[in-house]
Amino acid sequence: MPSRSATATAARTRTEVVPEEVGLTAKDFRGEVKPVWCPGCGDFGVLSATAKALAALQVMPHQVVIVSGIGCSSRLPYFMSTYGVHGVHGRALPIATGLKMARPDLKVFAMGGDGDLMSIGAGHLPHACARNIDITCVLMDNQVYGLTKGQGSPTSPMGHQSKSTPYGMIAKAANPILLALSYGASFVARGYSARPNELANLILEGVRHQGFSFIHVHSPCTEFFNTYDHYDSLVEALPEGWDRSNLPAAIDLALTDERVHLGVFYQEERPVYEVEARQFEKDSQAFDLLSYLQRFA
Amino acid sequence: MLSMRQRPKTLQDNQVRNDFVIRIGGDTAIGGVISTGENFTAAAARLGFHVFTFRSYPSEIKGGHAWFQVRIANRPVLSLGDGVDVLIAFDQEAYETHRGDLNDGAVLIYDSDLVRADDGNFTHYAAPFQRIARQELDFVRGTNVLVLGLMAGLFGLPVTSLEELVRIRYKRRAELVGKNLQALAYGFEYTKQIRKEDKYYLGTSDHIRRLVMSGNDAITAGALHAGCRFFAGYPITPASDILEAMARELPKLGGMCLQSEDEMAALGSCLGASYGGVKAMTATSGPGFSLMTELLGLSSMAEIPVVLVDAQRSGPSTGMPTKLEQSDLFHALYGGHGDFPRIVIAPASVEDCLCRTVYAFNLAEKYQMPVILLSDQSLSHRTQTIEMPDLPHLKVVNRLQPTDGRDGDKYARYALTDTGVSPAGIPGVFPHAYVAPGLEHDEYGHPNLSRQVHEAMTEKRFRKLASVAKETDTPDWAPRYGHPRAEVGIIGWGATEGSILEAVNRALEKGYKVAAIHPRILNPLPETQLRQFIASVRRVLVPEVNYQGQFAHHLAGQLGVQPIRLNKIGGVPFTPGEILEKIEEVMTHA
């Protein structure tokens, strides 16, 4: 591919000949590979919600790329019919960032677990939020390392006993919503995998949002930290008439731990990174080596 | 009194030296140490002289000793030369640091208020430059331009060429142009009052405008020509100027440049862009390269093309950040977990940086794997006169894409083929959706951890490397120089080429039968070229700027040769003399 715009042109040409442009259902977004998750895993709910959201968008599967890290939840791209990258532990956001910058025509997701986004790759989150790049970031939080069979994670509650924390977790649990709000994410929401329809709506809103959207999903692990009963009893909708433009209120709400609120905590309109970065695009020129080199003559 | 505008009449033709090395040293707090050298170099190059520069600077921002060196001649220069012919010492430390490198008959130019130089073996031109600038010109910051005028007068550079340069350099600050021109003229006129006693004089040049660029400049130009439209990097010496140039140039070309939050993000976002079908590059140095290693494996596993520039510096750890070393070779060749192919290219000169970067992209795209471009601090930051590149030799190759799979079978992204290369689908195109997998996978990219699939896929990925070798086992990738029936054969790599070449030429003049081969690709090795070369000589010598003899070790492992090693560390490149000395030693004991 000589340049990004050439790629985009190629993509458009091919798209026009696709017969079924409308009437996509969630099933059309599910791939051939059967999920490897344990029965009852919260990630099934996220998978189904993602497919539903994309069907509601009526976007073609080949115009979507789901980038993930490593862990149980990060297997998700294999179970979709979209493009995807199952990359390196913690690096879903950088890979998604490069892709979205290079190909703003695509719908780009970064999905991963609490290990990916809150631990090994946590250093990327502030920058993705601050740039406000148009990526939908879904944190599938089971508060435990499932794929490595049950060690404590940064979102495990204090005192949580696991194989790696036999005497209880000493560190305070990370608060993903609070972090995303303080990093300057322009769309911050929380969902629950056991409520896939609500979650599908949040993902749909997230994708429609212009800029970086962060969706924290409680997605319990039946095998190593079954929190279904806990969250079933704690989740509730945001307060009546919630003003999603009020950042201090969103932060206050994120700090309460008596209840687990579901919905869009915060949303603002802000310049979008890959749009701002393309301000000269309309005047862009082809590269000519010999004329470029004149500056060194 | 002697006019410096003509060749000094005191010198006979055969005494004039018009190929010599000027070194300028001083504390960076003074300012202008490097720029004095750069300005003199630029003016000389514009007149058609050939230049080759080297700089050494402290890792502190303000303060600390810095030096700049330029070798100037009216014929092509291959290396930074041997020793120093002219030393311009801005302070006592500069004199003390460099006096040991002075050649016989060298010239010392220094500020007589600041430097005490009592060595009687050299020609001294001393004056209170700073005091003159302050008292006579009321412009103490013009000291270095005054010295520039003095240099022009002493070594035969027309003052007009420097005047032009001053006007260009200060065009945004008009109030400084006049002051600087005055300082320049003062320095130049001053030389009329002193008697020239040295033999260094530039004389005539061919007045052909060539390019003067650094290795980093050339890599940037090559990448843009190759179609690189995405760059991500994290600032690190000595690679940052590639990031800066890309940040400036890419938006004008409809491309994107990202200053990433760390080096993992840098390579990660390059892989994202490249997965999206856009050619991508990152540039770093040793510490950043270490951080990128895990993603290098993903690039190879998921077959996502990328070019990674490693401008090597002295390690390990933070090491000596502003000094050169060729000590990341093991990491480039072998770094990372698991078995995975990667291409390693080491350009040998500034000219080479340009064309090899184009080839690096071509190979990355054609064979869908990471290409590591190994430069080093001396090559990244040296400037060198080069000829305009030959465009027909810089053809650009693009990634193989699937023609169309809609009517036939399901698209197999990782189809097993004879060459190992399988057409790569680009997101946005129907119906080639696939997941680029870090997991071992079958032909469709689906996870598959069976032994048979891992074997077949590992072989597929390494088959591509064999395909690369077929294309790169050529004299162009491994040029040979010197005596056709040599006794001693030198195998070098990277930025040492100029010094090796010059040493070989001098050895040939002395009647030694010596040859050299300098492969530009280190993985896969141009095996036939190297085996023929090794078989044609009696002893093999491998000079490299590292402690462990990393290339010698690689050659031993790959080709079974046991070379004589010549290793140097300490942050400065080989001089031709050092290599010549070793050649003579080997010849004597051969």
Side-chain angles (χ1 to χ4, degrees):
Chain A
M1 285 278 104
S3 73
R4 170 212 42 75
S5 44
T7 316
T9 313
R12 269 198 302 278
T13 323
R14 298 294 187 87
T15 312
E16 280 158 19
V17 296
V18 178
E20 325 67 18
E21 280 243 288
V22 286
L24 290 166
T25 66
K27 235 174 91 186
D28 295 310
F29 291 89
R30 297 291 293 271
E32 296 164 19
V33 179
K34 293 276 161 291
V36 287
W37 296 316
C38 307
C41 176
D43 296 344
F44 283 105
V46 184
L47 178 67
S48 131
T50 308
K52 278 179 190 156
L54 291 172
L57 270 168
Q58 289 295 299
V59 59
M60 297 298 290
H62 63 266
Q63 289 161 336
V64 178
V65 185
I66 300 180
V67 183
S68 68
I70 300 297
C72 291
S73 54
S74 285
R75 294 287 184 103
L76 185 139
Y78 291 119
F79 315 138
M80 301 286 290
S81 63
T82 63
Y83 278 87
V85 181
H86 178 229
V88 166
H89 199 22
R91 312 298 158 226
L93 277 173
I95 294 172
T97 298
L99 176 63
K100 184 66 187 181
M101 284 178 74
R103 293 290 307 277
D105 56 308
L106 301 169
K107 298 275 178 233
V108 178
F109 286 75
M111 300 180 81
D114 38 312
D116 250 306
L117 288 161
M118 287 290 115
S119 191
I120 192 168
H124 303 302
L125 189 59
H127 306 280
C129 293
R131 287 183 190 121
N132 199 31
I133 187 154
D134 192 4
I135 291 170
T136 309
C137 176
V138 180
L139 163 58
M140 300 154 80
D141 185 4
N142 61 4
Q143 301 173 275
V144 74
Y145 283 90
L147 199 60
T148 49
K149 304 206 187 300
Q151 299 83 359
S153 97
T155 51
S156 303
M158 246 175 148
H160 174 67
Q161 285 183 321
S162 74
K163 288 182 193 166
S164 63
T165 55
Y167 310 112
M169 195 85 184
I170 296 169
K172 189 175 178 210
N175 182 334
I177 294 280
L178 182 65
L179 288 171
L181 288 168
S182 59
Y183 293 152
S186 61
F187 180 99
V188 180
R190 184 190 279 137
Y192 181 30
S193 66
R195 297 191 179 181
N197 289 334
E198 280 176 42
L199 179 57
N201 280 332
L202 292 177
I203 294 174
L204 180 62
E205 274 209 71
V207 177
R208 283 189 173 144
H209 172 72
Q210 305 277 306
F212 189 76
S213 47
F214 179 79
I215 300 162
H216 175 221
V217 184
H218 281 298
S219 178
C221 172
T222 46
E223 199 68 23
F224 298 107
F225 193 16
N226 194 331
T227 52
Y228 278 115
D229 289 343
H230 177 75
Y231 287 114
D232 281 344
S233 66
L234 283 183
V235 293
E236 66 177 38
L238 289 167
E240 189 88 6
W242 180 254
D243 173 12
R244 58 169 76 170
S245 69
N246 188 338
L247 182 61
I251 288 173
D252 276 347
L253 197 69
L255 283 167
T256 57
D257 47 12
E258 296 97 57
R259 309 298 299 169
V260 174
H261 293 97
L262 303 181
V264 181
F265 277 59
Y266 182 70
Q267 186 172 16
E268 69 169 319
E269 252 182 69
R270 228 175 59 219
V272 176
Y273 191 86
E274 75 274 11
V275 176
E276 296 298 306
R278 286 178 182 277
Q279 54 179 318
F280 305 119
E281 193 179 22
K282 56 184 188 309
D283 309 314
S284 70
Q285 290 166 354
F287 182 76
D288 178 67
L289 182 64
L290 296 185
S291 58
Y292 178 80
L293 291 175
Q294 284 311 314
R295 71 192 65 193
F296 302 106
Chain B
M1 201 162 301
L2 184 67
S3 163
M4 295 296 164
R5 276 178 240 241
Q6 282 87 43
R7 186 165 62 78
K9 294 184 183 67
T10 48
L11 283 176
Q12 299 302 311
D13 275 345
N14 58 2
Q15 290 178 311
V16 171
R17 283 275 311 275
N18 53 16
D19 175 354
F20 57 95
V21 173
I22 302 174
R23 189 179 290 177
I24 305 169
D27 197 288
T28 51
I30 304 170
V33 174
I34 303 281
S35 70
T36 307
E38 282 178 341
N39 286 333
F40 192 77
T41 303
R46 290 164 76 96
L47 292 167
F49 291 101
H50 294 260
V51 298
F52 189 113
T53 73
F54 177 80
R55 67 187 71 184
S56 178
Y57 42 85
S59 22
E60 296 79 18
I61 296 302
K62 270 287 180 191
H65 182 71
W67 57 275
F68 178 93
Q69 172 170 320
V70 57
R71 180 172 167 198
I72 303 186
N74 55 8
R75 57 176 180 274
V77 284
L78 302 170
S79 76
L80 79 166
D82 282 291
V84 175
D85 301 305
V86 176
L87 175 65
I88 297 161
F90 275 99
D91 55 23
Q92 190 67 29
E93 187 187 1
Y95 171 67
E96 303 294 345
T97 306
H98 303 292
R99 61 190 292 188
D101 293 339
L102 294 175
N103 293 328
D104 290 343
V107 172
L108 275 169
I109 299 171
Y110 53 92
D111 192 311
S112 51
D113 281 351
L114 303 173
V115 178
R116 281 189 58 81
D118 43 15
D119 212 320
N121 295 328
F122 307 119
T123 307
H124 293 239
Y125 300 115
F129 302 128
Q130 226 178 74
R131 182 145 47 97
I132 295 170
R134 191 184 308 111
Q135 291 175 359
E136 310 273 322
L137 304 168
D138 189 26
F139 184 46
V140 73
R141 272 155 63 207
T143 311
N144 58 66
V145 178
L146 188 149
V147 173
L148 199 59
L150 185 94
M151 290 166 71
L154 278 174
F155 306 118
L157 215 54
V159 74
T160 46
S161 64
L162 285 160
E163 284 167 0
E164 194 188 334
L165 213 67
V166 165
R167 286 201 183 91
I168 295 170
R169 295 271 152 115
Y170 293 99
K171 68 179 172 202
R172 292 213 186 94
R173 301 182 67 190
E175 75 281 6
L176 290 180
V177 172
K179 285 267 185 197
N180 276 297
L181 287 177
Q182 210 184 346
L184 186 73
Y186 194 99
F188 191 75
E189 293 301 315
Y190 188 81
T191 57
K192 293 179 180 170
Q193 305 165 25
I194 51 180
R195 184 174 173 77
K196 184 166 170 80
E197 288 164 345
D198 63 275
K199 58 190 175 187
Y200 303 104
Y201 201 78
L202 284 170
T204 52
S205 58
D206 60 12
H207 290 269
I208 292 175
R209 277 284 189 93
R210 296 180 181 83
L211 304 172
V212 181
M213 44 197 314
S214 71
N216 281 348
D217 292 334
I219 287 171
T220 308
L224 293 174
H225 179 70
C228 173
R229 292 296 177 268
F230 184 87
F231 181 92
Y234 184 81
I236 188 167
T237 305
S240 304
D241 25 352
I242 300 179
L243 165 66
E244 290 163 12
M246 287 295 192
R248 192 179 61 234
E249 299 302 327
L250 275 175
K252 298 187 226 163
L253 303 168
M256 291 275 111
C257 179
L258 176 71
Q259 179 176 330
S260 54
E261 57 270 23
D262 57 42
E263 281 93 347
M264 294 167 288
L267 186 54
S269 50
C270 284
L271 294 183
S274 179
Y275 175 77
V278 175
K279 292 183 186 179
M281 179 170 96
T282 183
T284 185
S285 188
F289 185 26
S290 290
L291 287 175
M292 290 177 181
T293 311
E294 190 183 8
L295 282 138
L296 199 65
L298 175 67
S299 163
S300 202
M301 180 62 141
E303 306 192 39
I304 304 173
V306 75
V307 175
L308 188 166
V309 179
D310 174 20
Q312 300 166 94
R313 65 191 210 186
S314 289
S317 192
T318 310
M320 302 199 287
T322 57
K323 314 284 182 194
L324 81 134
E325 213 162 76
Q326 295 179 299
S327 52
D328 292 353
L329 182 61
F330 279 164
H331 188 197
L333 292 168
Y334 308 118
H337 62 278
D339 292 313
F340 68 87
R342 81 288 300 274
I343 295 167
V344 180
I345 293 175
S349 63
V350 171
E351 209 149 9
D352 219 26
C353 280
L354 202 154
C355 67
R356 300 295 157 186
T357 304
V358 178
Y359 303 158
F361 271 96
N362 289 350
L363 290 173
E365 293 292 319
K366 191 167 172 189
Y367 296 101
Q368 302 173 24
M369 68 167 90
V371 177
I372 298 155
L373 199 67
L374 277 181
S375 160
D376 69 51
Q377 185 271 335
S378 74
L379 188 52
S380 296
H381 283 168
R382 91 158 62 134
T383 53
Q384 200 180 342
T385 310
I386 68 169
E387 304 293 334
M388 267 288 181
D390 186 18
L391 276 186
H393 282 103
L394 295 175
K395 287 210 169 61
V396 171
V397 177
N398 295 316
R399 207 175 302 178
L400 183 66
Q401 288 186 47
T403 42
D404 205 341
R406 284 193 301 122
D407 305 321
D409 298 332
K410 198 170 70 168
Y411 169 58
R413 164 66 185 95
Y414 298 101
L416 297 169
T417 61
D418 291 342
T419 57
V421 177
S422 20
I426 302 294
V429 179
F430 177 86
H432 304 130
Y434 75 100
V435 175
L439 278 170
E440 188 57 282
H441 46 271
D442 62 17
E443 290 184 280
Y444 301 100
H446 299 160
N448 189 317
L449 312 190
S450 76
R451 183 177 66 82
Q452 290 81 355
V453 164
H454 182 47
E455 239 173 49
M457 281 295 161
T458 305
E459 278 164 12
K460 169 209 191 307
R461 292 187 288 266
F462 275 95
R463 233 174 4 254
K464 294 191 293 181
L465 208 57
S467 305
V468 174
K470 280 187 194 147
E471 183 172 332
T472 56
D473 192 353
T474 62
D476 172 65
W477 280 97
R480 183 196 160 122
Y481 317 91
H483 202 282
R485 290 174 306 281
E487 287 174 33
V488 171
I490 301 175
I491 308 181
W493 68 280
T496 54
E497 184 181 56
S499 294
I500 293 173
L501 220 81
E502 211 168 321
V504 167
N505 288 340
R506 286 195 219 165
L508 291 173
E509 279 168 24
K510 289 188 163 194
Y512 295 120
K513 291 181 177 171
V514 181
I517 190 166
H518 208 87
R520 269 78 171 142
I521 184 160
L522 310 181
N523 197 54
L525 276 177
E527 213 175 306
T528 316
Q529 311 300 316
L530 287 168
R531 284 194 192 281
Q532 277 172 4
F533 179 80
I534 292 165
S536 75
V537 298
R538 286 176 54 198
R539 304 297 301 272
V540 174
L541 171 65
V542 177
E544 49 186 328
V545 189
N546 60 47
Y547 183 79
Q548 297 180 97
Q550 299 187 6
F551 191 48
H553 191 93
H554 185 52
L555 289 172
Q558 297 284 302
L559 306 175
V561 64
Q562 289 301 332
I564 301 163
R565 299 173 182 202
L566 174 61
N567 299 92
K568 177 180 187 178
I569 53 171
V572 278
F574 275 117
T575 64
E578 287 166 341
I579 293 166
L580 180 63
E581 203 176 300
K582 188 69 182 179
I583 293 171
E584 290 180 318
E585 182 198 312
V586 173
M587 292 296 297
T588 324
H589 297 100

